PDB file of all heavy atoms in Angstrom:
ATOM      1  N   ALA A  57      23.107 116.133  75.001  1.00 84.00           N
ATOM      2  CA  ALA A  57      23.789 117.294  74.453  1.00 84.00           C
ATOM      3  C   ALA A  57      23.832 118.444  75.467  1.00 84.00           C
ATOM      4  O   ALA A  57      24.849 119.112  75.622  1.00 84.00           O
ATOM      5  CB  ALA A  57      23.040 117.765  73.176  1.00 84.00           C
ATOM      6  N   MET A  58      22.716 118.592  76.241  1.00 85.00           N
ATOM      7  CA  MET A  58      22.702 119.625  77.267  1.00 85.00           C
ATOM      8  C   MET A  58      23.758 119.324  78.344  1.00 85.00           C
ATOM      9  O   MET A  58      24.456 120.242  78.850  1.00 85.00           O
ATOM     10  CB  MET A  58      21.322 119.728  77.873  1.00 85.00           C
ATOM     11  CG  MET A  58      21.173 120.717  79.025  1.00 85.00           C
ATOM     12  SD  MET A  58      21.437 122.408  78.430  1.00 85.00           S
ATOM     13  CE  MET A  58      20.034 122.611  77.385  1.00 85.00           C
ATOM     14  N   ARG A  59      23.854 118.085  78.744  1.00 87.00           N
ATOM     15  CA  ARG A  59      24.854 117.700  79.771  1.00 87.00           C
ATOM     16  C   ARG A  59      26.281 117.966  79.251  1.00 87.00           C
ATOM     17  O   ARG A  59      27.147 118.432  80.009  1.00 87.00           O
ATOM     18  CB  ARG A  59      24.675 116.249  80.192  1.00 87.00           C
ATOM     19  CG  ARG A  59      23.498 116.021  81.158  1.00 87.00           C
ATOM     20  CD  ARG A  59      23.484 114.614  81.715  1.00 87.00           C
ATOM     21  NE  ARG A  59      23.142 113.628  80.730  1.00 87.00           N
ATOM     22  CZ  ARG A  59      21.908 113.221  80.512  1.00 87.00           C
ATOM     23  NH1 ARG A  59      20.919 113.713  81.238  1.00 87.00           N
ATOM     24  NH2 ARG A  59      21.624 112.295  79.601  1.00 87.00           N
ATOM     25  N   GLN A  60      26.533 117.635  77.994  1.00 88.00           N
ATOM     26  CA  GLN A  60      27.841 117.886  77.443  1.00 88.00           C
ATOM     27  C   GLN A  60      28.193 119.354  77.393  1.00 88.00           C
ATOM     28  O   GLN A  60      29.319 119.762  77.695  1.00 88.00           O
ATOM     29  CB  GLN A  60      27.915 117.281  76.020  1.00 88.00           C
ATOM     30  CG  GLN A  60      27.896 115.739  76.007  1.00 88.00           C
ATOM     31  CD  GLN A  60      27.832 115.163  74.610  1.00 88.00           C
ATOM     32  OE1 GLN A  60      27.642 115.904  73.649  1.00 88.00           O
ATOM     33  NE2 GLN A  60      28.035 113.866  74.510  1.00 88.00           N
ATOM     34  N   MET A  61      27.190 120.195  76.999  1.00 88.00           N
ATOM     35  CA  MET A  61      27.429 121.628  76.970  1.00 88.00           C
ATOM     36  C   MET A  61      27.622 122.192  78.398  1.00 88.00           C
ATOM     37  O   MET A  61      28.436 123.085  78.579  1.00 88.00           O
ATOM     38  CB  MET A  61      26.281 122.324  76.245  1.00 88.00           C
ATOM     39  CG  MET A  61      26.110 121.939  74.799  1.00 88.00           C
ATOM     40  SD  MET A  61      24.755 122.786  73.948  1.00 88.00           S
ATOM     41  CE  MET A  61      25.496 124.390  73.706  1.00 88.00           C
ATOM     42  N   SER A  62      26.869 121.664  79.331  1.00 88.00           N
ATOM     43  CA  SER A  62      27.024 122.096  80.719  1.00 88.00           C
ATOM     44  C   SER A  62      28.395 121.721  81.249  1.00 88.00           C
ATOM     45  O   SER A  62      29.027 122.486  81.976  1.00 88.00           O
ATOM     46  CB  SER A  62      25.937 121.431  81.581  1.00 88.00           C
ATOM     47  OG  SER A  62      24.647 121.877  81.177  1.00 88.00           O
ATOM     48  N   ALA A  63      28.857 120.489  80.841  1.00 89.00           N
ATOM     49  CA  ALA A  63      30.167 120.051  81.298  1.00 89.00           C
ATOM     50  C   ALA A  63      31.265 120.983  80.685  1.00 89.00           C
ATOM     51  O   ALA A  63      32.249 121.338  81.421  1.00 89.00           O
ATOM     52  CB  ALA A  63      30.433 118.615  80.867  1.00 89.00           C
ATOM     53  N   SER A  64      31.104 121.380  79.468  1.00 88.00           N
ATOM     54  CA  SER A  64      32.066 122.302  78.849  1.00 88.00           C
ATOM     55  C   SER A  64      32.090 123.619  79.543  1.00 88.00           C
ATOM     56  O   SER A  64      33.140 124.241  79.743  1.00 88.00           O
ATOM     57  CB  SER A  64      31.767 122.456  77.354  1.00 88.00           C
ATOM     58  OG  SER A  64      31.841 121.260  76.653  1.00 88.00           O
ATOM     59  N   LEU A  65      30.883 124.116  79.916  1.00 88.00           N
ATOM     60  CA  LEU A  65      30.756 125.374  80.629  1.00 88.00           C
ATOM     61  C   LEU A  65      31.448 125.269  81.945  1.00 88.00           C
ATOM     62  O   LEU A  65      32.250 126.212  82.344  1.00 88.00           O
ATOM     63  CB  LEU A  65      29.292 125.728  80.803  1.00 88.00           C
ATOM     64  CG  LEU A  65      28.999 126.967  81.655  1.00 88.00           C
ATOM     65  CD1 LEU A  65      29.672 128.207  81.106  1.00 88.00           C
ATOM     66  CD2 LEU A  65      27.480 127.158  81.778  1.00 88.00           C
ATOM     67  N   LEU A  66      31.208 124.201  82.704  1.00 88.00           N
ATOM     68  CA  LEU A  66      31.803 124.062  84.027  1.00 88.00           C
ATOM     69  C   LEU A  66      33.346 123.917  83.916  1.00 88.00           C
ATOM     70  O   LEU A  66      34.103 124.441  84.749  1.00 88.00           O
ATOM     71  CB  LEU A  66      31.263 122.829  84.750  1.00 88.00           C
ATOM     72  CG  LEU A  66      29.777 122.982  85.221  1.00 88.00           C
ATOM     73  CD1 LEU A  66      29.286 121.658  85.819  1.00 88.00           C
ATOM     74  CD2 LEU A  66      29.646 124.077  86.253  1.00 88.00           C
ATOM     75  N   ALA A  67      33.811 123.224  82.875  1.00 88.00           N
ATOM     76  CA  ALA A  67      35.251 123.061  82.652  1.00 88.00           C
ATOM     77  C   ALA A  67      35.944 124.389  82.464  1.00 88.00           C
ATOM     78  O   ALA A  67      37.102 124.597  82.876  1.00 88.00           O
ATOM     79  CB  ALA A  67      35.520 122.147  81.464  1.00 88.00           C
ATOM     80  N   ALA A  68      35.238 125.334  81.791  1.00 87.00           N
ATOM     81  CA  ALA A  68      35.775 126.650  81.603  1.00 87.00           C
ATOM     82  C   ALA A  68      35.601 127.508  82.843  1.00 87.00           C
ATOM     83  O   ALA A  68      36.435 128.389  83.155  1.00 87.00           O
ATOM     84  CB  ALA A  68      35.129 127.338  80.392  1.00 87.00           C
ATOM     85  N   GLN A  69      34.537 127.246  83.620  1.00 85.00           N
ATOM     86  CA  GLN A  69      34.234 128.099  84.757  1.00 85.00           C
ATOM     87  C   GLN A  69      35.023 127.725  85.993  1.00 85.00           C
ATOM     88  O   GLN A  69      35.325 128.643  86.773  1.00 85.00           O
ATOM     89  CB  GLN A  69      32.717 127.951  85.014  1.00 85.00           C
ATOM     90  CG  GLN A  69      32.118 129.165  85.720  1.00 85.00           C
ATOM     91  CD  GLN A  69      30.580 129.144  85.650  1.00 85.00           C
ATOM     92  OE1 GLN A  69      29.939 128.066  85.695  1.00 85.00           O
ATOM     93  NE2 GLN A  69      30.005 130.328  85.475  1.00 85.00           N
ATOM     94  N   TYR A  70      35.305 126.458  86.226  1.00 88.00           N
ATOM     95  CA  TYR A  70      35.967 126.029  87.455  1.00 88.00           C
ATOM     96  C   TYR A  70      37.320 126.756  87.711  1.00 88.00           C
ATOM     97  O   TYR A  70      37.569 127.265  88.802  1.00 88.00           O
ATOM     98  CB  TYR A  70      36.158 124.557  87.469  1.00 88.00           C
ATOM     99  CG  TYR A  70      34.929 123.784  87.880  1.00 88.00           C
ATOM    100  CD1 TYR A  70      34.815 122.429  87.612  1.00 88.00           C
ATOM    101  CD2 TYR A  70      33.914 124.424  88.598  1.00 88.00           C
ATOM    102  CE1 TYR A  70      33.663 121.711  88.015  1.00 88.00           C
ATOM    103  CE2 TYR A  70      32.752 123.711  88.990  1.00 88.00           C
ATOM    104  CZ  TYR A  70      32.658 122.366  88.701  1.00 88.00           C
ATOM    105  OH  TYR A  70      31.533 121.668  89.080  1.00 88.00           O
ATOM    106  N   PRO A  71      38.203 126.837  86.655  1.00 87.00           N
ATOM    107  CA  PRO A  71      39.461 127.524  86.901  1.00 87.00           C
ATOM    108  C   PRO A  71      39.271 129.000  87.270  1.00 87.00           C
ATOM    109  O   PRO A  71      39.983 129.534  88.107  1.00 87.00           O
ATOM    110  CB  PRO A  71      40.222 127.410  85.557  1.00 87.00           C
ATOM    111  CG  PRO A  71      39.636 126.237  84.897  1.00 87.00           C
ATOM    112  CD  PRO A  71      38.176 126.218  85.327  1.00 87.00           C
ATOM    113  N   VAL A  72      38.260 129.657  86.624  1.00 85.00           N
ATOM    114  CA  VAL A  72      37.967 131.093  86.946  1.00 85.00           C
ATOM    115  C   VAL A  72      37.532 131.157  88.410  1.00 85.00           C
ATOM    116  O   VAL A  72      37.989 132.033  89.176  1.00 85.00           O
ATOM    117  CB  VAL A  72      36.918 131.583  85.986  1.00 85.00           C
ATOM    118  CG1 VAL A  72      36.494 132.999  86.372  1.00 85.00           C
ATOM    119  CG2 VAL A  72      37.391 131.614  84.552  1.00 85.00           C
ATOM    120  N   LEU A  73      36.592 130.308  88.792  1.00 84.00           N
ATOM    121  CA  LEU A  73      36.115 130.321  90.162  1.00 84.00           C
ATOM    122  C   LEU A  73      37.197 130.061  91.190  1.00 84.00           C
ATOM    123  O   LEU A  73      37.239 130.642  92.270  1.00 84.00           O
ATOM    124  CB  LEU A  73      34.966 129.316  90.342  1.00 84.00           C
ATOM    125  CG  LEU A  73      33.726 129.551  89.485  1.00 84.00           C
ATOM    126  CD1 LEU A  73      32.728 128.397  89.678  1.00 84.00           C
ATOM    127  CD2 LEU A  73      33.077 130.843  89.884  1.00 84.00           C
ATOM    128  N   THR A  74      38.128 129.184  90.809  1.00 87.00           N
ATOM    129  CA  THR A  74      39.237 128.851  91.729  1.00 87.00           C
ATOM    130  C   THR A  74      40.116 130.063  91.953  1.00 87.00           C
ATOM    131  O   THR A  74      40.496 130.372  93.118  1.00 87.00           O
ATOM    132  CB  THR A  74      40.114 127.720  91.101  1.00 87.00           C
ATOM    133  OG1 THR A  74      39.274 126.562  90.979  1.00 87.00           O
ATOM    134  CG2 THR A  74      41.281 127.409  92.008  1.00 87.00           C
ATOM    135  N   TRP A  75      40.409 130.785  90.892  1.00 84.00           N
ATOM    136  CA  TRP A  75      41.245 132.009  91.050  1.00 84.00           C
ATOM    137  C   TRP A  75      40.527 133.040  91.900  1.00 84.00           C
ATOM    138  O   TRP A  75      41.176 133.705  92.768  1.00 84.00           O
ATOM    139  CB  TRP A  75      41.602 132.566  89.680  1.00 84.00           C
ATOM    140  CG  TRP A  75      42.842 131.927  89.088  1.00 84.00           C
ATOM    141  CD1 TRP A  75      42.887 131.017  88.064  1.00 84.00           C
ATOM    142  CD2 TRP A  75      44.178 132.104  89.468  1.00 84.00           C
ATOM    143  NE1 TRP A  75      44.160 130.619  87.794  1.00 84.00           N
ATOM    144  CE2 TRP A  75      44.979 131.264  88.679  1.00 84.00           C
ATOM    145  CE3 TRP A  75      44.797 132.878  90.479  1.00 84.00           C
ATOM    146  CZ2 TRP A  75      46.383 131.203  88.799  1.00 84.00           C
ATOM    147  CZ3 TRP A  75      46.179 132.827  90.635  1.00 84.00           C
ATOM    148  CH2 TRP A  75      46.953 131.973  89.772  1.00 84.00           C
ATOM    149  N   TRP A  76      39.231 133.243  91.651  1.00 79.00           N
ATOM    150  CA  TRP A  76      38.540 134.231  92.476  1.00 79.00           C
ATOM    151  C   TRP A  76      38.367 133.824  93.911  1.00 79.00           C
ATOM    152  O   TRP A  76      38.346 134.650  94.836  1.00 79.00           O
ATOM    153  CB  TRP A  76      37.153 134.566  91.855  1.00 79.00           C
ATOM    154  CG  TRP A  76      37.301 135.362  90.586  1.00 79.00           C
ATOM    155  CD1 TRP A  76      37.087 134.940  89.304  1.00 79.00           C
ATOM    156  CD2 TRP A  76      37.691 136.712  90.473  1.00 79.00           C
ATOM    157  NE1 TRP A  76      37.361 135.945  88.427  1.00 79.00           N
ATOM    158  CE2 TRP A  76      37.724 137.072  89.099  1.00 79.00           C
ATOM    159  CE3 TRP A  76      38.028 137.714  91.416  1.00 79.00           C
ATOM    160  CZ2 TRP A  76      38.007 138.319  88.614  1.00 79.00           C
ATOM    161  CZ3 TRP A  76      38.331 139.001  90.956  1.00 79.00           C
ATOM    162  CH2 TRP A  76      38.370 139.260  89.553  1.00 79.00           C
ATOM    163  N   GLY A  77      38.259 132.503  94.133  1.00 84.00           N
ATOM    164  CA  GLY A  77      38.244 132.005  95.519  1.00 84.00           C
ATOM    165  C   GLY A  77      39.604 132.233  96.195  1.00 84.00           C
ATOM    166  O   GLY A  77      39.683 132.612  97.358  1.00 84.00           O
ATOM    167  N   LEU A  78      40.671 132.008  95.372  1.00 83.00           N
ATOM    168  CA  LEU A  78      41.996 132.236  95.921  1.00 83.00           C
ATOM    169  C   LEU A  78      42.225 133.720  96.265  1.00 83.00           C
ATOM    170  O   LEU A  78      42.911 134.052  97.252  1.00 83.00           O
ATOM    171  CB  LEU A  78      43.089 131.811  94.889  1.00 83.00           C
ATOM    172  CG  LEU A  78      44.543 131.929  95.296  1.00 83.00           C
ATOM    173  CD1 LEU A  78      44.824 131.044  96.516  1.00 83.00           C
ATOM    174  CD2 LEU A  78      45.460 131.530  94.151  1.00 83.00           C
ATOM    175  N   LEU A  79      41.629 134.609  95.468  1.00 79.00           N
ATOM    176  CA  LEU A  79      41.722 136.037  95.727  1.00 79.00           C
ATOM    177  C   LEU A  79      41.150 136.354  97.118  1.00 79.00           C
ATOM    178  O   LEU A  79      41.736 137.111  97.907  1.00 79.00           O
ATOM    179  CB  LEU A  79      40.950 136.825  94.649  1.00 79.00           C
ATOM    180  CG  LEU A  79      40.784 138.324  94.929  1.00 79.00           C
ATOM    181  CD1 LEU A  79      42.113 139.047  94.916  1.00 79.00           C
ATOM    182  CD2 LEU A  79      39.835 138.924  93.896  1.00 79.00           C
ATOM    183  N   THR A  80      40.000 135.746  97.442  1.00 79.00           N
ATOM    184  CA  THR A  80      39.376 135.972  98.737  1.00 79.00           C
ATOM    185  C   THR A  80      40.295 135.523  99.864  1.00 79.00           C
ATOM    186  O   THR A  80      40.467 136.246 100.890  1.00 79.00           O
ATOM    187  CB  THR A  80      38.054 135.233  98.840  1.00 79.00           C
ATOM    188  OG1 THR A  80      37.190 135.682  97.777  1.00 79.00           O
ATOM    189  CG2 THR A  80      37.358 135.468 100.156  1.00 79.00           C
ATOM    190  N   VAL A  81      40.907 134.365  99.725  1.00 83.00           N
ATOM    191  CA  VAL A  81      41.803 133.845 100.756  1.00 83.00           C
ATOM    192  C   VAL A  81      43.005 134.744 100.966  1.00 83.00           C
ATOM    193  O   VAL A  81      43.372 135.114 102.079  1.00 83.00           O
ATOM    194  CB  VAL A  81      42.259 132.410 100.401  1.00 83.00           C
ATOM    195  CG1 VAL A  81      43.286 131.899 101.379  1.00 83.00           C
ATOM    196  CG2 VAL A  81      41.039 131.446 100.381  1.00 83.00           C
ATOM    197  N   LEU A  82      43.633 135.140  99.832  1.00 80.00           N
ATOM    198  CA  LEU A  82      44.851 135.966  99.906  1.00 80.00           C
ATOM    199  C   LEU A  82      44.598 137.365 100.501  1.00 80.00           C
ATOM    200  O   LEU A  82      45.360 137.846 101.345  1.00 80.00           O
ATOM    201  CB  LEU A  82      45.463 136.118  98.526  1.00 80.00           C
ATOM    202  CG  LEU A  82      46.050 134.842  97.906  1.00 80.00           C
ATOM    203  CD1 LEU A  82      46.525 135.088  96.456  1.00 80.00           C
ATOM    204  CD2 LEU A  82      47.166 134.298  98.754  1.00 80.00           C
ATOM    205  N   THR A  83      43.449 137.970 100.083  1.00 77.00           N
ATOM    206  CA  THR A  83      43.170 139.285 100.601  1.00 77.00           C
ATOM    207  C   THR A  83      42.790 139.220 102.098  1.00 77.00           C
ATOM    208  O   THR A  83      43.146 140.137 102.871  1.00 77.00           O
ATOM    209  CB  THR A  83      42.025 139.957  99.809  1.00 77.00           C
ATOM    210  OG1 THR A  83      40.880 139.077  99.772  1.00 77.00           O
ATOM    211  CG2 THR A  83      42.468 140.277  98.411  1.00 77.00           C
ATOM    212  N   ARG A  84      42.070 138.159 102.470  1.00 78.00           N
ATOM    213  CA  ARG A  84      41.753 138.031 103.898  1.00 78.00           C
ATOM    214  C   ARG A  84      43.012 137.795 104.729  1.00 78.00           C
ATOM    215  O   ARG A  84      43.147 138.386 105.820  1.00 78.00           O
ATOM    216  CB  ARG A  84      40.755 136.847 104.035  1.00 78.00           C
ATOM    217  CG  ARG A  84      40.306 136.616 105.469  1.00 78.00           C
ATOM    218  CD  ARG A  84      39.690 137.874 106.091  1.00 78.00           C
ATOM    219  NE  ARG A  84      38.626 138.422 105.254  1.00 78.00           N
ATOM    220  CZ  ARG A  84      38.149 139.630 105.386  1.00 78.00           C
ATOM    221  NH1 ARG A  84      38.607 140.410 106.341  1.00 78.00           N
ATOM    222  NH2 ARG A  84      37.195 140.095 104.597  1.00 78.00           N
ATOM    223  N   ALA A  85      43.974 137.004 104.190  1.00 82.00           N
ATOM    224  CA  ALA A  85      45.193 136.802 104.891  1.00 82.00           C
ATOM    225  C   ALA A  85      46.006 138.108 105.034  1.00 82.00           C
ATOM    226  O   ALA A  85      46.533 138.410 106.102  1.00 82.00           O
ATOM    227  CB  ALA A  85      46.030 135.754 104.152  1.00 82.00           C
ATOM    228  N   ALA A  86      46.003 138.879 103.922  1.00 79.00           N
ATOM    229  CA  ALA A  86      46.745 140.153 103.963  1.00 79.00           C
ATOM    230  C   ALA A  86      46.100 141.089 104.992  1.00 79.00           C
ATOM    231  O   ALA A  86      46.817 141.788 105.719  1.00 79.00           O
ATOM    232  CB  ALA A  86      46.693 140.829 102.588  1.00 79.00           C
ATOM    233  N   ALA A  87      44.761 141.084 105.053  1.00 77.00           N
ATOM    234  CA  ALA A  87      44.091 141.947 106.029  1.00 77.00           C
ATOM    235  C   ALA A  87      44.416 141.574 107.472  1.00 77.00           C
ATOM    236  O   ALA A  87      44.623 142.424 108.322  1.00 77.00           O
ATOM    237  CB  ALA A  87      42.550 141.880 105.777  1.00 77.00           C
ATOM    238  N   THR A  88      44.406 140.253 107.724  1.00 81.00           N
ATOM    239  CA  THR A  88      44.705 139.769 109.073  1.00 81.00           C
ATOM    240  C   THR A  88      46.118 140.123 109.513  1.00 81.00           C
ATOM    241  O   THR A  88      46.373 140.636 110.605  1.00 81.00           O
ATOM    242  CB  THR A  88      44.502 138.269 109.162  1.00 81.00           C
ATOM    243  OG1 THR A  88      43.132 137.915 108.800  1.00 81.00           O
ATOM    244  CG2 THR A  88      44.744 137.734 110.556  1.00 81.00           C
ATOM    245  N   VAL A  89      47.078 139.891 108.580  1.00 82.00           N
ATOM    246  CA  VAL A  89      48.503 140.200 108.906  1.00 82.00           C
ATOM    247  C   VAL A  89      48.652 141.705 109.132  1.00 82.00           C
ATOM    248  O   VAL A  89      49.376 142.149 110.048  1.00 82.00           O
ATOM    249  CB  VAL A  89      49.397 139.736 107.719  1.00 82.00           C
ATOM    250  CG1 VAL A  89      50.816 140.250 107.902  1.00 82.00           C
ATOM    251  CG2 VAL A  89      49.398 138.204 107.645  1.00 82.00           C
ATOM    252  N   THR A  90      47.972 142.496 108.290  1.00 79.00           N
ATOM    253  CA  THR A  90      48.011 143.991 108.447  1.00 79.00           C
ATOM    254  C   THR A  90      47.537 144.406 109.774  1.00 79.00           C
ATOM    255  O   THR A  90      48.142 145.264 110.506  1.00 79.00           O
ATOM    256  CB  THR A  90      47.262 144.671 107.324  1.00 79.00           C
ATOM    257  OG1 THR A  90      47.785 144.286 106.073  1.00 79.00           O
ATOM    258  CG2 THR A  90      47.321 146.199 107.460  1.00 79.00           C
ATOM    259  N   MET A  91      46.451 143.855 110.261  1.00 79.00           N
ATOM    260  CA  MET A  91      45.897 144.221 111.531  1.00 79.00           C
ATOM    261  C   MET A  91      46.827 143.888 112.681  1.00 79.00           C
ATOM    262  O   MET A  91      47.044 144.641 113.586  1.00 79.00           O
ATOM    263  CB  MET A  91      44.533 143.482 111.723  1.00 79.00           C
ATOM    264  CG  MET A  91      43.734 143.984 112.958  1.00 79.00           C
ATOM    265  SD  MET A  91      43.130 145.688 112.718  1.00 79.00           S
ATOM    266  CE  MET A  91      41.778 145.386 111.550  1.00 79.00           C
ATOM    267  N   VAL A  92      47.463 142.686 112.552  1.00 83.00           N
ATOM    268  CA  VAL A  92      48.431 142.322 113.584  1.00 83.00           C
ATOM    269  C   VAL A  92      49.613 143.226 113.602  1.00 83.00           C
ATOM    270  O   VAL A  92      50.071 143.684 114.655  1.00 83.00           O
ATOM    271  CB  VAL A  92      48.912 140.853 113.336  1.00 83.00           C
ATOM    272  CG1 VAL A  92      50.045 140.485 114.239  1.00 83.00           C
ATOM    273  CG2 VAL A  92      47.726 139.858 113.522  1.00 83.00           C
ATOM    274  N   VAL A  93      50.098 143.587 112.395  1.00 83.00           N
ATOM    275  CA  VAL A  93      51.250 144.480 112.280  1.00 83.00           C
ATOM    276  C   VAL A  93      50.907 145.841 112.823  1.00 83.00           C
ATOM    277  O   VAL A  93      51.731 146.506 113.495  1.00 83.00           O
ATOM    278  CB  VAL A  93      51.754 144.574 110.822  1.00 83.00           C
ATOM    279  CG1 VAL A  93      52.824 145.644 110.670  1.00 83.00           C
ATOM    280  CG2 VAL A  93      52.262 143.216 110.349  1.00 83.00           C
ATOM    281  N   ILE A  94      49.700 146.336 112.559  1.00 81.00           N
ATOM    282  CA  ILE A  94      49.243 147.667 113.043  1.00 81.00           C
ATOM    283  C   ILE A  94      49.367 147.719 114.574  1.00 81.00           C
ATOM    284  O   ILE A  94      49.952 148.661 115.167  1.00 81.00           O
ATOM    285  CB  ILE A  94      47.800 147.955 112.616  1.00 81.00           C
ATOM    286  CG1 ILE A  94      47.784 148.347 111.145  1.00 81.00           C
ATOM    287  CG2 ILE A  94      47.187 149.055 113.487  1.00 81.00           C
ATOM    288  CD1 ILE A  94      48.226 149.731 110.819  1.00 81.00           C
ATOM    289  N   PHE A  95      48.831 146.712 115.262  1.00 81.00           N
ATOM    290  CA  PHE A  95      48.869 146.775 116.744  1.00 81.00           C
ATOM    291  C   PHE A  95      50.241 146.442 117.297  1.00 81.00           C
ATOM    292  O   PHE A  95      50.624 147.007 118.324  1.00 81.00           O
ATOM    293  CB  PHE A  95      47.816 145.776 117.295  1.00 81.00           C
ATOM    294  CG  PHE A  95      46.410 146.334 117.250  1.00 81.00           C
ATOM    295  CD1 PHE A  95      45.545 145.942 116.234  1.00 81.00           C
ATOM    296  CD2 PHE A  95      46.004 147.226 118.175  1.00 81.00           C
ATOM    297  CE1 PHE A  95      44.267 146.484 116.165  1.00 81.00           C
ATOM    298  CE2 PHE A  95      44.684 147.774 118.125  1.00 81.00           C
ATOM    299  CZ  PHE A  95      43.814 147.388 117.113  1.00 81.00           C
TER     300      PHE A  95
END
């Protein structure tokens, strides 16, 4: 039962973590491009 509840938790958590991970990638890319454009 604990494993099943943990699996349900992870199933809900993974998409959230993916989006926040994507946020890090996109903001880092935007920062790099901005620095290049500045110079």
Side-chain angles (χ1 to χ4, degrees):
M58 178 63 67
R59 283 190 287 269
Q60 290 175 350
M61 296 181 77
S62 298
S64 298
L65 173 58
L66 289 175
Q69 204 164 38
Y70 279 161
V72 174
L73 296 176
T74 298
W75 275 105
W76 288 108
L78 183 61
L79 171 66
T80 301
V81 173
L82 293 175
T83 53
R84 183 54 54 194
T88 301
V89 171
T90 300
M91 191 68 75
V92 172
V93 172
I94 285 284
F95 281 100

